[in-house]
Amino acid sequence: MRRTRTQVVIIGAGPAGLLLSHLLDREGVESVLLENRAPEYVRGRIRAGMLEHSTVELLGDAGVGDRLGREGMEHRGIYLQFPHERHHIDFHSLVGRSVWVYGQTEITGDLMRARSAAGQQSYYEVSDVALHDLDGDSPAVTFVDADGSPHRVHCDVVAGCDGFHGPARRTIPDGARRSFGREYPYAWLGVLADVAPSTDELIYAWHPEGFAMHSMRSPSVSRLYLQVDPDEDVAEWPDDRIWEALARRLGDGQDGWRLKPGRITDKSVLPMRSFVSTPMRYGRLFLAGDAAHIVPPTGAKGLNLAVADVALLSRALAALLREGDPRLADDYSATALRRVWRGTHFSWWMTSMLHVTGDPFDAQLQRSQLEWVVRSPSAAAGLAENYAGLPIGY
């Protein structure tokens, strides 16, 4: 077995792990990055694409925002739609903050290039990852590399950025953690289409048949969603049926607006859940991103919460490992969870307001809530403040 040492072992090479490794490198902190998938798979995962104002600022300040600045699309707000009405919620005029459309695949690519340029060690396609001695001063991580060689890396800290199914959170003893969660009785059928967006900003639509959303990935690629049952079979949704449902739910023909169909290149059913694991620290293990929390995508919070986690964590670990100051590390879980629960509540609120349950009473409550949001400046400002993003240190 090969034995080595580093300051931080980061498990997971998604945006959270990659960004943490980059921020630590800028602070002079060494890390080893472990990922069970191949680089091509990681780079190609289609995930979130809406970035909060604070996320964009952080990526720019960290020196990985140049391409985002050139190719990302700044949006001042979103449209809220219900039958025969479409209203623009202007974030910039309400709270002075915008959001940006820039796909997670693009962020991942930017961060992978930054990791490579830093020259710090990365292992992809690893297996049998196990965490050891987390409650002591010298934890370690063992794994088998892509060539079948076993490794043991001793470190000062382990960062679990390995998602909901990764080993980091599961290493914490049951009695030392508590989980909160909710499974939603609906899912999204998400499609990518090679067609220019039919809208300048995202449309969130409540419709008696179910929620629909028109998003985008670039000026030539649209991302669209339909509310479906969690056990929906994608094979039951040929392209024509998808475009017909989207046209009805998004109000095709209303006030002259038209939905432009195109070639669909990807279809998938996305289950929806809320999940929070507390605390986000156990001994020398710190959790970040989906390893600690999952939100439904309605509020565009998943990636942004992960970015906020690692922004806090990088500062805490730099203070701990460079200066011997444990205060930020000791406060990390409580500080991160305050923002996590705010994002969890907002995501639940948006989801509950926009998704059809089949109960006529729920439908009337949702219509009342939507009308309040679009007619009350204070309600619209609350939505705008949460969607565009609270400060990272909230």
Side-chain angles (χ1 to χ4, degrees):
M1 176 178 288
R2 183 183 176 191
R3 298 175 182 271
T4 55
R5 198 184 194 292
T6 190
Q7 290 178 286
V8 181
V9 173
I10 302 171
I11 306 174
L18 286 165
L19 180 58
L20 178 60
S21 74
H22 179 71
L23 295 174
L24 290 176
D25 182 69
R26 288 170 64 89
E27 295 282 358
V29 176
E30 182 186 52
S31 64
V32 169
L33 186 66
L34 307 180
E35 168 61 46
N36 68 342
R37 299 285 193 168
E40 297 76 19
Y41 179 92
V42 174
R43 196 162 32 234
R45 281 186 289 212
I46 298 172
R47 294 289 190 272
M50 183 62 75
L51 305 183
E52 294 178 0
H53 186 89
S54 296
T55 297
V56 174
E57 285 187 329
L58 175 69
L59 293 172
D61 292 343
V64 287
D66 290 349
R67 201 160 68 91
L68 188 163
R70 293 192 307 271
E71 301 177 17
M73 295 180 286
E74 183 179 9
H75 286 194
R76 293 176 61 100
I78 59 171
Y79 294 100
L80 280 183
Q81 179 175 306
F82 40 99
H84 312 299
E85 296 191 39
R86 181 181 294 173
H87 299 266
H88 187 239
I89 308 298
D90 191 321
F91 300 162
H92 203 271
S93 65
L94 288 164
V95 296
R97 295 162 75 84
S98 299
V99 293
W100 290 71
V101 173
Y102 190 67
Q104 179 172 314
T105 53
E106 307 304 322
I107 294 174
T108 302
D110 295 341
L111 291 170
M112 290 177 82
R113 285 185 286 273
R115 175 75 184 182
S116 178
Q120 298 215 31
Q121 206 160 24
S122 300
Y123 293 89
Y124 285 86
E125 298 182 271
V126 304
S127 59
D128 298 331
V129 176
L131 291 67
H132 309 273
D133 304 321
L134 296 173
D135 50 1
D137 294 330
S138 184
V141 177
T142 55
F143 65 96
V144 176
D145 68 22
D147 295 325
S149 299
H151 294 250
R152 185 181 187 93
V153 183
H154 295 271
C155 56
D156 299 304
V157 165
V158 179
C161 304
D162 50 342
F164 181 79
H165 298 289
R169 184 185 69 254
R170 297 200 303 268
T171 303
I172 302 174
D174 290 342
R177 61 181 166 94
R178 186 179 182 190
S179 297
F180 305 83
R182 173 163 299 175
E183 299 287 335
Y184 293 89
Y186 28 73
W188 281 5
L189 172 63
V191 302
L192 271 178
D194 282 342
V195 61
S198 305
T199 178
D200 59 333
E201 295 183 338
L202 273 64
I203 302 171
Y204 285 77
W206 184 96
H207 189 274
E209 292 182 15
F211 169 77
M213 180 177 175
H214 191 325
S215 182
M216 60 208 69
R217 280 296 174 266
S218 74
S220 61
V221 177
S222 295
R223 182 75 161 144
L224 304 111
Y225 301 95
L226 289 165
Q227 177 186 342
V228 295
D229 292 332
D231 59 354
E232 199 78 19
D233 183 357
V234 172
E236 297 296 319
W237 286 86
D239 292 6
D240 287 348
R241 183 187 179 192
I242 290 172
W243 288 116
E244 289 166 4
L246 285 167
R248 287 193 305 273
R249 297 188 197 185
L250 290 170
D252 184 64
Q254 180 177 311
D255 297 327
W257 180 82
R258 308 301 303 193
L259 175 67
K260 295 178 287 191
R263 185 175 70 93
I264 292 175
T265 60
D266 183 79
K267 304 177 189 178
S268 59
V269 173
L270 314 172
M272 302 179 73
R273 68 160 70 95
S274 295
F275 172 82
V276 180
S277 181
T278 65
M280 291 173 61
R281 178 187 182 181
Y282 173 74
R284 289 284 176 145
L285 169 65
F286 295 80
L287 302 179
D290 289 359
H293 44 78
I294 302 282
V295 292
T298 325
K301 287 285 156 275
L303 175 60
N304 294 292
L305 287 174
V307 169
D309 287 349
V310 299
L312 295 170
L313 184 55
S314 64
R315 298 168 196 163
L317 296 184
L320 178 67
L321 300 176
R322 288 193 321 169
E323 304 162 19
D325 185 347
R327 288 176 295 177
L328 290 177
D330 290 343
D331 292 341
Y332 166 70
S333 179
T335 304
L337 282 168
R338 186 164 58 242
R339 200 175 195 277
V340 166
W341 278 115
R342 176 87 302 274
T344 299
H345 177 268
F346 177 69
S347 299
W348 165 85
W349 180 77
M350 287 282 287
T351 301
S352 301
M353 178 172 65
L354 289 161
H355 288 76
V356 173
T357 67
D359 185 329
F361 182 74
D362 287 347
Q364 293 300 317
L365 292 180
Q366 290 169 326
R367 180 63 181 255
S368 175
Q369 190 164 337
L370 284 162
E371 290 179 346
W372 172 61
V373 169
V374 301
R375 289 171 172 75
S376 165
S378 58
L383 187 155
E385 181 182 35
N386 281 276
Y387 197 107
L390 298 162
I392 284 177
Y394 168 82

